[in-house]
Every structure is written in structure tokens, then in C-alpha cells.
Amino acid sequence: MGDRFVVVPVDTGKTSGKEGERSGSTGAHPAPDTGGSSSSVPGTVFEPAVHILEYNREPNKYGDGVPKENSPFINSAENDKNNYDGTNMALFEEEMDRHPMVSSLLDKLANYTNLSQGAQEHEEADEEEGTKKKTVKSPQMGTFMGVYLPCLQNILGVILFLRLTWIVGTAGILESLAIVGLCCSCTMLTAISMSAIATNGVVPAGGSYYMISRSLGPEFGGAVGLCFYLGTTFAGAMYILGTIEILLTYIVPQAAIFTAERKEDQLNALLNNMRIYGTICLSLMAVVVFVGVKYVNKLALVFLACVILSIISIYAGVIKSGFDPPDFPVCMLGNRTLQNLQFDKCLKTEIINNNTVSTQLWRLFCDGPELSSTCNEYFVNNNLTLIQGIPGLASGVISENMWSAYGPLGMLVENKRLPSVGGIDPAKDIYLPYVVNDISTFFTLLVGIYFPSVTGIMAGSNRSGDLKDAQKSIPIGTILAIATTSFIYVSGVILFGACIEGVLLRDKFGDSVKGNLVIGTLSWPSPWVIVIGSFFSCCGAGLQSLTGAPRLLQAIARDGIVPFLQVFGHGKANGEPTWALLLTAGICEIGILIASLDAVAPILSMFFLMCYMFVNLACAVQTLLRTPNWRPRFKYYHWTLSFLGMSLCLSIMFISSWYYAIIAMGIAGCIYKYIEYRGAEKEWGDGIRGLSLNAARYALIRLEEAPPHTKNWRPQLLVLLNLDSDLGVKHPRLLSLTTQLKAGKGLTIVGNVLQGTYLSHEAEAKKAEQNIKSTMATERTKGFCHVVVSSNLRDGISHLIQSAGLGGMKHNTVLVGWPGTWKQSEDPQSWRNFIEIVRETTTAHQAMLVAKNVDSFPTCQDRLGEGTIDVWWVVHDGGMLMLLPFLLRQHKVWGMCKMRIFTVAQMDDNSIQMKKDLQMFLYHLRLDAEVEVVEMHDNDISAFTYEKTLVMEQRSQMLKQMHLSRTEREREAQLIHDKNTTAHTTMNNKEEAGPDRVHMTWTKDKLSTERNRNREPNANVAVRDLFNMKPEWESLNQSNVRRMHTAVKLNEVVVNKSQGAHLVLLNMPGPPRNRGGDENYMEFLEVLLEGLNRVLMVRGGGREVITIYS
């Protein structure tokens, strides 16, 4: 918005005369942002002022031309300086810093504008250099000057003047119309899509790159933006090659450095001349652009005038040819076209002074000038004929030029209407002065060569910052320019075919008309109008490309989405992209070294087509998604048109050159993946994000319909982290384990609970979330972060377990670290929370993983050597124990480890058969693992187990006495320890001195039997003595004794077999149903894990997670 509005208080007429004079003499002053409050002077009464919007054309100092992503209206830095001290809106005054007054918003709207990246950026100082900005005029250009003429100038160019006649002669009028129609339809559909995008809000400078990146996201934007940059750069090379071709072929052929003695060397000499002069021309143009780009912009109108005058002269020549065709004879030998460069007369012999002498043409086909010399057979057998190269509109030649005349490299250009004798093998004659094909010709090649002549439709959108009303001018100007140029091309195809002889049309360089430009022979009043006009047109187009391409690269670099390009965002103090210009000149030199206009044209066609394809895709995506912000002022678009345009672009890419298309798409794909992997995070509200949201919503609804099949099951993790006092992650290795377990697949939610209220801890929650995300990035954990503030940790964790995730995308596994300091903790709530997590995951039918000594787990950069991952499969948990080692071994950290599976056999089990069955089971599961069956025959409960249980229960009883002081609890714990030590010593002494041997290991049955015997009058005295000796054992909870026995025995076996393993996985027993024994449960687990370093306890979720079926 180029116009400015400021609020001016105007006297309403109710003030005193003195005050009226004061207000009248003051002039226009901006009203303060106080919501309309006014100060009062004692003794003077002021009536409310009427606020009037006054026009102000002062430009806005909006940065350095780089598109800013923050809103220019809301939450900008200036808002913090506006203090509200009025009373009318006091109800909202506390939120005024976040929600400004509407008047403030409108003021910022009125003072917002966007500056052109190209036309005005060079007049500003670069912001990072700290130089003061120069004042830039408000944009004043309308549709005609701002869009229509620039598009016309960019579309019409080198291909029209140098190749269109050759395309018409080679493809014929019908196929040429098909080529023109195909390419013009593609650009017209693209212009419709571009108009919709360009009118959907303000488009800052950056043109197509800005539109694509903000519509499809930074990855697509960066990839397509760089492709558009490469296309523009190679276009510069093509225009320079066109300039040199006109210079050396039609203006000053004698300036050629390399000359060919033989005809077969002519092509190489021409290419070498193009390389030398092209490099010189590129250097001069780069210096011009570096020194004063503003002169290039001012000369643009001159270059455009050259194009328009040249086209007018063509139409004038066509009209004149209808009644007075120009005289450009073409010499034919038989039906073959001769190069009319080395002879003046189309005669074999001539009579001079009554003597018959040979002509210059004779000497080209014969051994010598003598009439008796040996001549070429075809030359001897065929007559020479002169035909008019421009027979004119009324000649009827149009019927002969309707059909194609494709051919291989070296094919002679022939007129089939003329008689021809001999010449069965024309390959022998291609080095004679005939006009021949310099390249193999076919339809698809001509499409690639012609397409650059319809590019340039982005010129209007690139100048959006210069336009008075961009949303109106861009659609109208661009579509009118395409319609105009399409008419010029279509009419040109028909008129060239109707006026020019076919052999002359196929003569690419005009060799048959003494080296004249073919299209120039048709023009009026002179061929030089076209030659000079096309020369300056190509010069101007080359300068425009070298001006625009560096600025496009600078815009991409300053967006920061491609890290290695950031150096090209810097420039001179006045904003000139110096480094970008150097890179552009270097890439342009590659095109110059190719040297062939016909070889460079398909390359830039690929890059432009890819850009146009994504413009259509952006419009189609936005239309189909029906994004609330998608409200283009241009209404004549439809998603089907955009898809048709996108399909046309893709088709033309592969039609013109399938290998160039694959290379261009490969380059774009590599850039896309690089930006995705290394690029800066940008949120531009792009359509791909909207598409992702729609796809995610659809997928979530589908997932909600039924639980996943066993074949699709994978651990979707909820990782519960602990934070330290600085809100940093305590155990980052837990995230490393997550990454190794997931290998980037499936869902990962990293959760944490802060204690308190959200209103008072919102800042801490944000900081915690940032810290967790930073640690996740360091550990390469891909997933989501969820920080909850709750009145207590217990409820917060419960909320996470219940509500984390969405729909069918919810976690099915909870990963936590083992609370290793639970014994030392004064607050029992820590281990109670852990047990409640176990209970809640069981209730929710979720699996649970508990990592012991998680800080000793490897990082993602470590590489474990040969070792084992030991799985202790005690009870069936749905296959989790089998699946987890397989997933871990997919990661390079655990890739060298082997898998071992241990299972426990009881007294009645056939261990040999168990091993065979387990091996077969693993075979069907397609898992490679060693199998071992461990026999645990001794089920007797040892005295050590009883002692452990006794100490555990007494400790639990002690901790329940919460009213005791800490000193008293420590004293009581010491007394219990001393008492147990004394009792243990007495027991050992009795055992040594007793005459009767008493079994010191007990089973459940033995214990109940001895109790019954103890009640009998004749019970064994030795056994009674035993129970008298250990009265505490009788009072022990037998359930605890059995659990402790299991923990002790299993721990002994695991430590014996797996102490050296890299990782041990084993079944995690569930907590007791009676909450009174929670502290005992922690003790059981502690005993079970004793002596093991890296342990992952696994608790299944109550469903099968692995299957033998395909």
C-alpha cells in the first residue's frame, strides 16, 4: 500500500478564538496513540476533536528489501512503546501491549509498503552494513508500463528472431502451430495460477520465488527458487550467445577469430568464436551491472523499443510481400540448396568477350577453372535454378510449407518440386557448398528450443513493489502480454509459412541468401532493421538476466533457508549483490562454453518449466485445501486449470528432453532434501503444511476406526523425562535410547510435568519445552514435546498417560528411567509415583519400558563392538522382548551385537524340547538369535531370602512411622541392623553345635508341614528350636517371602549368564494389588536388578506385538 494516512485533529468550531487560532496555525500533527485521550489546560475547555485521515506520501523505511515474516501491523517493536493512558478503553488497557487499538492497527496498515527486490533495492543501503537508507519514491507504475511492457520485452526475444523461421520450415506450419499452442497454453495456464496467488494478499519483492515459497513451504520454495535462478542465469547465457551469433554471422563476419578452411570445420570454428566473444561480452555485461544497474533499468525502454520496431517491420514486410516481394534469389543445383557465400552468379559458365569461361561456382565443384577439368557428378548432371526466397503472400507457397521436413545431422536442404538427377549417396556431398542440417531435428527437440521464447511471464510479479495496484495490474498485464505474444507467434508461424520458400526457412543461418538473417529478408524497409533491433534486444535481455538473477539469489540467501548460500546475501553498501553477481557470471560462463544456442535453450527450458509447474501446484493445493487465508481477488481460476497447467509443464519437460528433465528434477530433489535436513526452520503458513494437516486429519480418522494389526504394531513411545532445577534434561541418554529404538520411525512424545499452576509457571513451561526440544535435536530424536503444569506430579503424569497423542496416533508404550535413588530419598512420593505409572500403564493396556543406569547407555555417536543383547524371557508379554532387540539392532549403535534369548525351565519342564520349540518359534519369526534354556530346579527358599525379606519388612515398618524424627529413624534402623547381625551369628553357632541336622532351605510345602508338626504334642524338638530361634520368620508375609525368593534366584542366574552383556532385557513383574506393599515391590525390583549394569525391564501391554504370519 503506497499511500500514507495520518490522523489529524481538526477543530470542531466550539473552541475559543484563541484556541482556534492556535489549532489553525499548528498544522497537521500525528495524533498520539492514546486512544483519543486529550490533556486539559486549567481554565480552558476542549471539545473532542474530529480525526481526519490525511494523505501522506512519505515512504516507509521498510528494511533492506528482504521480505519480513513478522506481520507489519501487529506485535511489532513499536507497539511496546505505545502506552495507553486513556479511560474510554480502560477495560482493555492491561492487554494493550498484545492487542493494540484498532486505530493503531490502521495506522500501521497505512504506513506499510513493500519495496521491489530489483528496481529499488540498489538505491538502498544494506541494513547489515549500518548505512543510512536512501529515500525511495512511492510506486507509481500502472498495468501498461509496470506489467504489460516488461512481460512483452521478456517474452519476445532471441528465439523469435533467430530460430522461429527455422522451426516453421523444419516442423511445417501445422506442427509449428502445435508447438506454439502447447507452449503458450502452458504459460497461459501458469499465468492464471500466478494471478490467483499474486492477488491473494501483498506479494513483496521476490516474485515467483516468494509466491512458491510462501505457498508450498521453504523446502519447495528453496528448490524451485534455485531452479528459477538457474533458469534465469542460463537465459542470460542464451541471450549472450544470441547476441554473438547476430554479431558474427550477420553484422561483422570478418571479426571471427577462428576461420575454417574446410566446410567440415565451420561448425567448430563458429563455436570457438562464440566462446571467445561470449566470454568477453559476459565480462563487459557483468561490469555494467556491477557499476550501475540503474542504467540498465533506464535502458530497458530502449531495448523494448527495438523489439517493437522489429516486429512492426516484420508485419510491414509481410504486407509489402503481397504486392511487391523483395528480391532474394536462392540458387538451386538440381533440388539442392547452395550456400551463396563464395560466388556471385548462379551459373556454371558464362560468356565473356565471346569466350565461354567457368564461374566461381564451377571452381567449387571442379578440380580447376578449366572447362575440361573433372567435376562432381551431381554438378554435371543437374541444372542450376534461381528461385525467389520470398515469393510473397499471394504465391501459394503456404501449401508446400504445411508439412514437416525433419532429418538427421548433415541432411541436405532440398526442394522436392525441382528435378534431380543422380545423387544417390548425398553423404559424399555434405562437404560441398550445400545448405545442410547442422543438428538432427525432430519434434521434441524443437519444443525444447522454442519454449524459452514464451518464458518471461514473471516479469510483472517480479516488479510487484513498483506497481500502484499490484493485485489489479499483475493479472491483467500478464494475461494480456501472453495473449499478445501468442498472437504474434501464431501469426508469425502462418505468415512465415505463407511468404517464405521452404528451403530458405530451413536455412538456419541464411547461407543461401548471402548470410542475411532469414527473418530480416522479409522485413521492410531493410533487413538491417531486424538485425540491429534483434542485436540490441538480445543485449538488453542479457543485461536484464544478469540484473535479476543475482537479486533472486540474494533473496533466497537472505531468507536463510539454504545455509551454504548465506554468503551471497551480502553485497555492497548500496545493496548490490556483489557475491551473487560473481556466482551468476560463473554459472553463465558454463552456458557460454556450451556455445550452442540450440543446446542451451532446452537446459533453461527445464528450469523454467519446473518453476511454472510448482506455481500451478501451489494454486491447486491452496484451492483444494480451501485455506481460510486463500481469498484471491482474481476470480477466474480453478484447480482443474492449475492441474492441467502442471501436467502440461511436466509433459513438456519430458517431451523436450527426458534426460535434462531427470537431471533438473534431481537437482531440485537434492536441494529439497538438503533444506529439509540442514535448512532453517521457517513457518510461512504454506500450502504444503495445510496439505499435511489435511492428510494427517484424514489419516487420524482412518486410524481411529480400528486398532492397528499386529503386523503394523511398533512402539509409539511416551518418554517421561526428569528436569533439574535449571529446567535442563537430567538424563539425555533416555532420548538416545529412544532414537536408537525408533530409528526415526513411529510416534515419539517426550513429556514432563511441572508442579504448580499454569498461570504462574507458563514461562517455565515454555523454557522447559525449549530445553527438551534442544536436547531432542542434539540426540536426533524426532517427535513431539509436551510439558504439562499440574498441581501435583502424580496427576500430571496421569494426564499425560491418558491424553498424550491424538485419535489413533497415541502412544502405546511408556519409557521411564529407573529411580535409582529411591532408597535415599526422604520423600516416598517419588517411588510411589513410579509404581502408579506402572499401574496406570497396565490399566491403559500400554507397554512399559524401564531403563536402569540409563546414563551408562550409549549415545547415538557410539558404536558398540561385538557383544550380546541378552533377553530373559520368563513370562510371555506379547512378544515385546523379541521385538525390541530386533529394533535396536536396526540402529548402527547396536548393529554389531548378537541376540541371545534365555528362558527358564521348571522342575517338570522338558528343557531339551523347550529349546527346540523356541528355536522353531524364532525361525518363524525371522529372528536370528542364540537360544539357551536355564534350569532352576532348586525351589528351596534359602535363609538368605528370609533374611532379606525380614530386613525389607522391618524397614518398611520403620518408614511408616512418619511421626519419628529423622534422628530417631536412623537410630531405630541401626538397632534393627545390630539385632539381625546378632541373630544371624547365634543361628550359625546353633547350626554348628546342634547334634541334629536341620534343613536350612524351605519350600512352601515344607514350611506349612513344619507349622502343622509344631502344633502336635510330639513335634520334632529340633524344628521347634529352629522356630524359637527365629521367631520373626513365623510372622513374615509368605507372599513377600516367595517374591523375594524369585528375585534372588533369578538375579543369581541372570548375573551368572549376562553380566558381560551390552544390554539385558527381562520381564518386569507387576506391582501388588494391595497398595500396602508398594515399598516391598521396589525392594523386589532392586534385588532383581542387583549387579547388572544396563538393564531394560519390559512390561507388555496385554496384546500380541509380533507374529509369524506375513
Side-chain angles (χ1 to χ4, degrees):
M1 186 181 300
D3 302 331
R4 305 286 183 268
F5 296 95
V6 293
V7 181
V8 180
V10 177
D11 185 18
T12 59
K14 297 184 181 181
T15 56
S16 63
K18 183 178 179 180
E19 294 301 329
E21 291 175 5
R22 181 182 302 170
S23 64
S25 62
T26 302
H29 294 284
D33 293 334
T34 57
S37 65
S38 56
S39 58
S40 59
V41 179
T44 308
V45 179
F46 288 94
E47 294 293 333
V50 178
H51 293 162
I52 294 180
L53 291 174
E54 181 185 333
Y55 212 53
N56 182 8
R57 291 193 178 275
E58 180 187 355
N60 179 27
K61 309 299 186 295
Y62 178 57
D64 55 0
V66 184
K68 300 294 189 284
E69 293 313 315
N70 329 354
S71 167
F73 323 124
I74 303 174
N75 292 335
S76 59
E78 289 88 287
N79 282 339
D80 299 334
K81 302 175 184 177
N82 299 335
N83 298 318
Y84 178 76
D85 55 3
T87 56
N88 293 339
M89 295 292 173
L91 187 61
F92 301 96
E93 63 185 2
E94 292 185 356
E95 296 183 326
M96 205 63 69
D97 56 338
R98 288 171 296 172
H99 306 287
M101 293 288 294
V102 174
S103 59
S104 174
L105 169 66
L106 293 176
D107 181 59
K108 290 184 180 299
L109 274 168
N111 284 279
Y112 171 72
T113 187
N114 53 315
L115 297 182
S116 166
Q117 187 78 23
Q120 294 169 338
E121 186 188 63
H122 67 278
E123 299 180 5
E124 295 186 335
D126 188 87
E127 185 177 19
E128 296 178 3
E129 303 288 342
T131 312
K132 187 176 180 180
K133 303 285 188 292
K134 296 182 181 179
T135 302
V136 183
K137 294 181 180 179
S138 300
Q140 291 296 315
M141 300 179 76
T143 303
F144 186 75
M145 291 296 294
V147 181
Y148 180 76
L149 290 182
C151 283
L152 214 62
Q153 179 189 358
N154 280 265
I155 295 172
L156 300 172
V158 62
I159 301 296
L160 169 65
F161 299 122
L162 296 185
R163 292 293 182 268
L164 188 58
T165 53
W166 173 72
I167 291 174
V168 173
T170 305
I173 293 175
L174 293 180
E175 291 188 28
S176 297
L177 288 175
I179 294 173
V180 172
L182 187 69
C183 297
C184 290
S185 299
C186 175
T187 53
M188 179 61 80
L189 292 171
T190 303
I192 292 172
S193 299
M194 185 193 70
S195 299
I197 298 173
T199 58
N200 186 50
V202 179
V203 178
S208 58
Y209 161 69
Y210 183 91
M211 289 189 292
I212 295 170
S213 62
R214 270 55 175 183
S215 297
L216 294 179
E219 293 87 3
F220 276 109
V224 181
L226 284 175
C227 284
F228 190 54
Y229 162 74
L230 291 173
T232 308
T233 303
F234 275 103
M238 183 187 72
Y239 291 128
I240 292 172
L241 290 174
T243 303
I244 302 304
E245 183 176 315
I246 295 169
L247 180 71
L248 295 181
T249 308
Y250 307 115
I251 300 179
V252 280
Q254 61 272 22
I257 298 173
F258 298 93
T259 55
E261 298 294 335
R262 299 178 303 169
K263 183 185 176 185
E264 52 264 37
D265 298 329
Q266 287 179 355
L267 182 61
N268 290 330
L270 175 63
L271 295 181
N272 288 330
N273 285 320
M274 300 276 276
R275 293 183 179 105
I276 297 295
Y277 279 99
T279 303
I280 295 171
C281 183
L282 172 63
S283 304
L284 292 174
M285 287 186 176
V287 170
V288 170
V289 172
F290 178 77
V291 172
V293 71
K294 55 186 177 182
Y295 301 115
V296 177
N297 292 329
K298 290 176 180 177
L299 286 173
L301 203 58
V302 177
F303 299 140
L304 176 61
C306 293
V307 175
I308 294 174
L309 286 174
S310 300
I311 292 172
I312 291 173
S313 73
I314 292 170
Y315 281 110
V318 168
I319 295 170
K320 180 178 178 294
S321 73
F323 55 88
D324 184 17
D327 184 26
F328 281 98
V330 177
C331 186
M332 307 292 294
L333 177 62
N335 64 357
R336 299 178 182 178
T337 310
L338 294 177
Q339 291 183 342
N340 191 3
L341 297 174
Q342 298 173 303
F343 61 89
D344 296 324
K345 298 176 181 178
C346 186
L347 297 170
K348 293 182 181 180
T349 60
E350 59 180 342
I351 299 174
I352 301 176
N353 299 327
N354 294 322
N355 293 321
T356 303
V357 295
S358 60
T359 61
Q360 291 174 316
L361 183 59
W362 178 281
R363 298 183 183 93
L364 295 175
F365 285 89
C366 301
D367 294 341
E370 297 83 8
L371 297 178
S372 60
S373 59
T374 305
C375 296
N376 177 268
E377 181 184 358
Y378 189 84
F379 179 75
V380 173
N381 295 334
N382 290 274
N383 295 323
L384 291 168
T385 309
L386 272 177
I387 64 173
Q388 274 300 327
I390 314 290
L393 272 176
S395 64
V397 74
I398 187 171
S399 60
E400 300 171 11
N401 293 329
M402 294 294 284
W403 313 109
S404 62
Y406 300 119
L409 170 68
M411 188 186 81
L412 299 174
V413 176
E414 299 175 336
N415 186 335
K416 299 299 182 183
R417 292 183 295 108
L418 298 178
S420 175
V421 179
I424 300 173
D425 186 11
K428 297 178 181 178
D429 300 333
I430 60 174
Y431 297 122
L432 292 171
Y434 294 120
V435 177
V436 298
N437 283 355
D438 63 330
I439 57 173
S440 298
T441 54
F442 41 89
F443 178 80
T444 56
L445 173 75
L446 298 186
V447 173
I449 293 175
Y450 173 75
F451 188 82
S453 66
V454 297
T455 60
I457 62 173
M458 300 288 186
S461 63
N462 289 343
R463 297 165 181 261
S464 57
D466 305 333
L467 303 174
K468 188 183 301 182
D469 186 356
Q471 296 191 4
K472 176 184 175 184
S473 298
I474 289 177
I476 297 174
T478 305
I479 291 174
L480 279 179
I482 293 175
T484 304
T485 53
S486 299
F487 172 78
I488 292 172
Y489 285 130
V490 170
S491 62
V493 167
I494 297 172
L495 294 176
F496 294 159
C499 296
I500 305 176
E501 177 63 44
V503 292
L504 181 56
L505 285 173
R506 296 197 295 277
D507 184 3
K508 183 186 290 185
F509 300 107
D511 293 333
S512 61
V513 285
K514 295 189 178 296
N516 277 297
L517 182 61
V518 175
I519 197 173
T521 60
L522 182 62
S523 64
W524 180 85
S526 168
W528 285 101
V529 176
I530 294 287
V531 172
I532 301 301
S534 59
F535 176 79
F536 283 109
S537 170
C538 291
C539 279
L543 284 171
Q544 292 282 355
S545 297
L546 287 179
T547 303
R551 279 164 179 73
L552 179 59
L553 181 63
Q554 189 180 46
I556 299 171
R558 286 183 170 179
D559 264 345
I561 58 174
V562 185
F564 70 84
L565 289 180
Q566 289 183 356
V567 65
F568 299 107
H570 305 295
K572 295 194 299 184
N574 63 349
E576 280 300 307
T578 309
W579 294 107
L581 178 61
L582 287 175
L583 179 66
T584 303
I587 297 174
C588 199
E589 178 63 19
I590 297 174
I592 299 294
L593 294 177
I594 295 174
S596 171
L597 186 68
D598 302 321
V600 173
I603 296 176
L604 66 99
S605 294
M606 292 303 115
F607 293 122
F608 278 122
L609 279 165
M610 186 166 293
C611 176
Y612 296 166
M613 180 175 71
F614 280 100
V615 168
N616 285 296
L617 176 63
C619 181
V621 166
Q622 298 278 31
T623 307
L624 287 175
L625 289 179
R626 297 176 182 172
T627 313
N629 192 53
W630 180 246
R631 303 185 299 275
R633 291 190 179 276
F634 181 77
K635 301 299 182 184
Y636 305 101
Y637 70 94
H638 195 267
W639 67 268
T640 53
L641 295 177
S642 299
F643 266 115
L644 180 60
M646 184 179 69
S647 305
L648 267 179
C649 291
L650 192 61
S651 302
I652 294 173
M653 285 177 68
F654 282 92
I655 284 174
S656 56
S657 178
W658 63 268
Y659 46 91
Y660 277 156
I662 291 174
I663 292 171
M665 294 175 77
I667 292 172
C670 291
I671 298 169
Y672 178 94
K673 295 304 292 182
Y674 176 80
I675 296 173
E676 186 180 52
Y677 180 65
R678 292 292 303 275
E681 292 293 331
K682 297 285 183 183
E683 175 49 62
W684 287 334
D686 52 86
I688 291 297
R689 183 173 178 83
L691 189 63
S692 301
L693 288 172
N694 267 17
R697 179 186 61 83
Y698 174 78
L700 286 173
I701 292 174
R702 289 291 304 274
L703 284 174
E704 188 76 9
E705 294 175 0
H709 191 273
T710 302
K711 290 185 288 187
N712 296 326
W713 194 95
R714 64 167 61 247
Q716 317 282 14
L717 293 178
L718 170 62
V719 185
L720 297 178
L721 288 181
N722 286 331
L723 302 182
D724 54 26
S725 57
D726 296 329
L727 300 179
V729 177
K730 268 188 180 179
H731 304 293
R733 298 289 177 89
L734 204 59
L735 294 176
S736 302
L737 175 62
T738 304
T739 304
Q740 295 155 23
L741 192 60
K742 305 292 294 179
K745 304 295 189 297
L747 174 70
T748 300
I749 302 174
V750 181
N752 177 256
V753 178
L754 297 180
Q755 195 162 354
T757 61
Y758 184 69
L759 292 178
S760 58
H761 290 78
E762 186 261 347
E764 288 88 337
K766 290 282 176 60
K767 182 181 177 183
E769 189 170 335
Q770 289 300 321
N771 291 345
I772 292 174
K773 285 182 178 178
S774 175
T775 310
M776 288 173 68
T778 303
E779 302 296 336
R780 298 180 182 177
T781 304
K782 295 182 179 179
F784 308 98
C785 176
H786 198 174
V787 177
V788 173
V789 182
S790 178
S791 56
N792 61 75
L793 296 178
R794 176 73 215 89
D795 290 343
I797 293 173
S798 177
H799 294 156
L800 276 177
I801 293 174
Q802 293 178 59
S803 62
L806 180 64
M809 204 63 176
K810 290 179 67 69
H811 63 278
N812 54 29
T813 306
V814 177
L815 173 61
V816 296
W818 169 254
T821 59
W822 70 274
K823 281 188 175 182
Q824 290 77 30
S825 175
E826 297 181 12
D827 182 13
Q829 198 60 40
S830 60
W831 53 264
R832 284 177 181 164
N833 286 342
F834 173 80
I835 296 173
E836 288 303 312
I837 293 173
V838 180
R839 285 197 174 101
E840 290 203 356
T841 53
T842 304
T843 304
H845 302 290
Q846 296 172 3
M848 186 172 181
L849 308 178
V850 181
K852 182 199 174 189
N853 294 337
V854 69
D855 291 331
S856 68
F857 277 63
T859 65
C860 293
Q861 286 74 36
D862 295 336
R863 300 291 180 271
L864 296 179
E866 293 187 0
T868 60
I869 299 175
D870 288 358
V871 177
W872 284 85
W873 193 20
V874 181
V875 296
H876 182 55
D877 58 353
M880 279 282 288
L881 282 170
M882 308 292 179
L883 186 61
L884 293 177
F886 169 77
L887 295 176
L888 281 173
R889 290 177 63 205
Q890 304 305 302
H891 198 277
K892 48 195 172 184
V893 172
W894 303 90
M896 299 288 292
C897 297
K898 293 182 179 179
M899 180 176 167
R900 296 194 302 178
I901 295 183
F902 298 90
T903 189
V904 177
Q906 299 298 323
M907 180 79 73
D908 301 331
D909 296 328
N910 185 341
S911 59
I912 298 176
Q913 188 61 40
M914 280 181 65
K915 184 172 183 178
K916 289 181 180 178
D917 293 342
L918 183 54
Q919 286 174 335
M920 182 57 66
F921 181 57
L922 292 176
Y923 174 78
H924 287 306
L925 289 175
R926 291 90 64 202
L927 295 176
D928 297 325
E930 297 178 13
V931 175
E932 186 172 342
V933 178
V934 178
E935 298 181 352
M936 294 179 62
H937 292 162
D938 187 6
N939 289 332
D940 292 343
I941 301 176
S942 64
F944 175 72
T945 302
Y946 280 108
E947 289 293 331
K948 272 279 191 185
T949 310
L950 179 63
V951 171
M952 177 188 72
E953 290 196 352
Q954 290 178 340
R955 181 179 179 278
S956 300
Q957 185 64 32
M958 175 190 69
L959 292 177
K960 287 178 182 177
Q961 300 174 0
M962 299 304 295
H963 62 279
L964 296 176
S965 66
R966 182 177 179 181
T967 307
E968 290 172 330
R969 289 203 303 271
E970 290 175 354
R971 188 184 306 118
E972 183 172 338
Q974 185 63 40
L975 289 173
I976 292 173
H977 179 268
D978 295 343
K979 182 178 179 182
N980 289 335
T981 304
T982 306
H984 187 67
T985 305
T986 306
M987 179 193 70
N988 291 338
N989 293 339
K990 289 282 186 180
E991 182 181 0
E992 293 172 2
D996 297 331
R997 298 184 63 190
V998 180
H999 289 288
M1000 297 306 293
T1001 56
W1002 300 84
T1003 64
K1004 178 181 178 182
D1005 296 336
K1006 284 182 181 180
L1007 187 62
S1008 59
T1009 303
E1010 291 301 328
R1011 279 181 170 174
N1012 293 334
R1013 288 178 59 193
N1014 198 28
R1015 296 190 183 95
E1016 296 174 5
N1018 298 324
N1020 188 301
V1021 177
V1023 176
R1024 281 203 306 270
D1025 289 344
L1026 175 65
F1027 279 100
N1028 291 334
M1029 186 169 50
K1030 287 292 183 185
E1032 297 90 342
W1033 289 5
E1034 272 198 316
S1035 62
L1036 290 178
N1037 184 321
Q1038 294 306 307
S1039 175
N1040 287 343
V1041 173
R1042 292 194 307 274
R1043 289 171 181 268
M1044 183 63 75
H1045 172 68
T1046 303
V1048 170
K1049 279 296 183 183
L1050 193 55
N1051 175 259
E1052 288 177 0
V1053 176
V1054 174
V1055 169
N1056 181 40
K1057 296 283 186 180
S1058 302
Q1059 195 165 22
H1062 285 320
L1063 180 64
V1064 176
L1065 288 89
L1066 52 81
N1067 291 109
M1068 178 181 177
R1073 291 186 178 88
N1074 180 14
R1075 295 179 184 273
D1078 284 357
E1079 62 273 13
N1080 298 336
Y1081 173 69
M1082 296 295 292
E1083 190 71 45
F1084 296 145
L1085 295 182
E1086 190 72 54
V1087 171
L1088 182 61
L1089 302 177
E1090 190 174 351
L1092 297 172
N1093 183 23
R1094 293 190 197 125
V1095 184
L1096 190 62
M1097 288 192 291
V1098 180
R1099 184 163 174 77
R1103 61 160 294 166
E1104 293 293 329
V1105 300
I1106 195 168
T1107 178
I1108 63 174
Y1109 299 105
S1110 61

